[in-house]
Amino acid sequence: MGPQKEGRPVTVTATYTIPGMHVREHVVPVPLDWSDPGRGEIEVFFREITDPGRAREDLPCLVYLQGGPGGKGPRPLAPDGWIGQALKTHRVVVMDQRGTGRSTRIDGRRMSAFATAEQGADFLACFRADSIVADHEHVRRTVYGGRRWSTIGQSYGGFLTLTYLSRAPEALRSCRVTGGLPGLDPSAAEVYRRTYPRVEAKNREFYRRYPQHAELAGRVADRLAAGDVRLPDGDALTVRRFQSLGIDLGMKPGYERMHYLLDEAFNGEELSATFLHQVLARTSYSDNPLFAALQESIYGHGPGATAWAAQAERPRHPAFAEDARPLLFTGEMIYPWMFEEIAELRPFRGAVELMAAREEWPPLYDHDRLAANEVPVAAAVYHDDMFVDAGLQLDTASRTGNTRCWITNEYEHDGITDPRVFDRLGEMIRDMGGEITGA
């Protein structure tokens, strides 16, 4: 379906077929600031994917709400996983969230162009969930004729889902959420109070599986503490940056990826080039700087600053000290030192300091509207999820109408990669009475 005449111009940049997937690419201009369109425009990019044999059929749309913050849409190589299952019944829409991928991208070079930190902070404040939902609504109205569509939200995509249900439930047929129901009373301090113990438990499991690495990780940390270790881009590799690799322990293959990384850490008495290149790739944020820049602001909701909550909580957990042994790796925590030590993040420093100190944020969730929700919501809650606390997820589910949860410890945070998760949530929606149909 083409764009409505009253909509802003939409550009189809390419149409092509990957084996098993017909793809149409679109670029849509949107306001930088939906509350003040006079501040200028940016572009958002999205792909529409269909089964090649059904590309001309009038299929319902399923929108993928990506994890993040600062996540671009997936680049599928084959019709497998959840996308393969979705293509059997839906036209799949995957957007590069504003500021990422082929949407008008924010990186260090863009942030360096601002004359003041205040300008940079005001700019970054336009890239939160409320703006992302407004972008999707604009696409739904102008490209798809205002017809309802369904969503599947992974991780931060679940946060976006709750904002969507708060602001435009009339747009939605059904919502699947995987590992991502946010707390409805956002508090970065509470999130990290709950997160550190879960990350410590993942570390203990890693060393249980690979006990030889307790000594090896400590040896790496001792070498880094001695100083003068440089990554290939020239940044100094510090113990705390090494610890930040633990973010991967929340994924199903994360223990194994960490095992193989440490397995080649040394070449003789010095850290190997292989190890240093891999550490750079995993900790540079060159592909997703907004993930770091916006991490704590996703909990900004009404009055109160986020105030570097992960940093403030860390001293209460001395097991994460740089000289503690066994060395513990940190998780999805962003610290102010990252904007000093990591090259790609340095241009964000002044802006994120102001973001962390900001005392007032627009609310992201409408409690009354969520309590009265009628859109069917099926959520996979991973009991041992390192990233999103299961207790907070279940509290949110209890306060959101027409929501059912599947609680499981079979999966980690990346359970969406198993097509059975997508199918199970679809069965739950069917058993709840099915999707909302009609305009």
Side-chain angles (χ1 to χ4, degrees):
M1 179 175 296
Q4 296 177 334
K5 291 182 180 180
E6 65 270 26
R8 296 182 180 184
V10 178
T11 302
V12 178
T13 62
T15 301
Y16 53 90
T17 300
I18 297 172
M21 297 180 290
H22 180 73
V23 182
R24 286 170 61 88
E25 298 181 347
H26 303 255
V27 174
V28 184
V30 296
L32 166 65
D33 184 348
W34 280 99
S35 67
D36 183 8
R39 290 183 63 184
E41 286 188 338
I42 59 173
E43 292 181 340
V44 293
F45 168 86
F46 71 94
R47 290 182 173 90
E48 176 190 291
I49 307 171
T50 54
D51 182 307
R54 308 191 67 185
R56 298 183 181 277
E57 294 184 28
D58 187 20
L59 298 170
C61 287
L62 175 72
V63 180
Y64 181 61
L65 300 176
Q66 171 70 299
K72 64 184 179 183
R75 271 59 174 162
L77 303 177
D80 51 16
W82 72 265
I83 288 181
Q85 297 302 101
L87 290 178
K88 295 177 182 179
T89 52
H90 287 80
R91 190 177 298 274
V92 176
V93 176
V94 291
M95 183 181 293
D96 286 350
Q97 293 171 15
R98 55 170 46 209
T100 75
R102 287 181 58 189
S103 296
T104 303
R105 190 174 188 274
I106 301 176
D107 55 17
R109 182 172 56 182
R110 179 68 182 87
M111 293 302 296
S112 296
F114 290 108
T116 66
E118 289 79 6
Q119 291 176 359
D122 288 344
F123 182 71
L124 289 178
C126 296
F127 290 79
R128 297 201 315 147
D130 46 1
S131 297
I132 295 170
V133 168
D135 293 343
H136 280 82
E137 269 299 273
H138 180 70
V139 168
R140 184 184 69 88
R141 292 192 304 268
T142 60
V143 180
Y144 295 102
R147 298 170 60 183
R148 286 180 182 258
W149 55 16
S150 302
T151 63
I152 176 168
Q154 158 65 11
S155 187
Y156 179 61
F159 292 49
L160 299 176
T161 301
L162 269 290
T163 299
Y164 216 147
L165 288 168
S166 295
R167 291 173 173 259
E170 69 280 359
L172 304 172
R173 293 164 54 96
S174 69
C175 301
R176 292 170 167 91
V177 175
T178 56
L181 289 176
L184 290 187
D185 303 299
S187 165
E190 176 65 13
V191 164
Y192 291 108
R193 184 186 71 78
R194 292 171 178 249
T195 299
Y196 275 96
R198 296 200 311 278
V199 177
E200 182 172 352
K202 297 295 185 185
N203 275 271
R204 302 300 180 195
E205 173 61 17
F206 172 66
Y207 288 129
R208 186 195 67 79
R209 291 193 191 187
Y210 303 104
Q212 71 273 26
H213 289 328
E215 184 276 333
L216 182 55
R219 185 182 167 203
V220 172
D222 290 343
R223 176 63 190 88
L224 297 178
D228 197 30
V229 176
R230 295 282 168 176
L231 293 168
D233 68 346
D235 279 350
L237 178 55
T238 59
V239 175
R240 55 193 181 183
R241 183 164 176 177
F242 174 53
Q243 287 178 287
S244 73
L245 289 163
I247 192 170
D248 199 27
L249 297 180
M251 303 300 185
K252 192 73 168 180
Y255 297 127
E256 284 60 55
R257 284 193 289 250
M258 183 70 81
H259 159 61
Y260 288 118
L261 174 69
L262 291 174
D263 193 51
E264 296 184 276
F266 282 94
N267 182 8
E269 295 301 314
E270 290 299 323
L271 295 168
S272 71
T274 296
F275 173 78
L276 294 174
H277 276 277
Q278 290 188 56
V279 170
L280 175 63
R282 298 186 193 192
T283 64
S284 69
Y285 294 95
S286 59
D287 192 47
N288 59 343
L290 282 187
F291 177 85
L294 297 178
Q295 183 63 228
E296 290 198 1
S297 70
I298 67 175
Y299 303 109
H301 177 90
T306 56
W308 293 116
Q311 178 75 13
E313 181 66 23
R314 184 166 177 166
R316 301 184 181 97
H317 305 272
F320 286 90
E322 295 178 33
D323 58 357
R325 299 293 181 268
L327 183 78
L328 296 191
F329 296 94
T330 53
E332 192 179 35
M333 293 95 165
I334 298 299
Y335 303 105
W337 60 260
M338 292 178 166
F339 297 89
E340 301 171 0
E341 293 186 11
I342 299 175
E344 180 58 36
L345 299 184
R346 286 185 199 117
F348 290 83
R349 180 181 176 182
V352 296
E353 289 285 0
L354 292 176
M355 297 271 281
R358 184 169 177 170
E359 290 287 349
E360 189 72 31
W361 291 98
L364 296 172
Y365 313 121
D366 185 323
H367 291 195
D368 293 337
R369 208 166 195 182
L370 290 173
N373 174 60
E374 297 181 352
V375 178
V377 180
V381 176
Y382 306 129
H383 184 272
D384 302 322
D385 197 323
M386 190 178 88
F387 297 91
V388 185
D389 182 74
L392 289 177
Q393 292 192 68
L394 294 177
D395 176 71
T396 293
S398 73
R399 298 161 61 187
T400 304
N402 208 22
T403 297
R404 292 187 182 176
C405 290
W406 165 38
I407 306 167
T408 175
N409 65 356
E410 182 180 356
Y411 298 96
E412 294 289 350
H413 192 67
D414 53 355
I416 192 173
T417 58
D418 189 329
R420 293 178 297 177
V421 171
F422 180 87
D423 290 344
R424 174 70 181 272
L425 297 179
E427 291 169 2
M428 291 169 62
I429 291 171
R430 181 198 63 199
D431 292 346
M432 294 165 68
E435 297 186 322
I436 296 174
T437 57

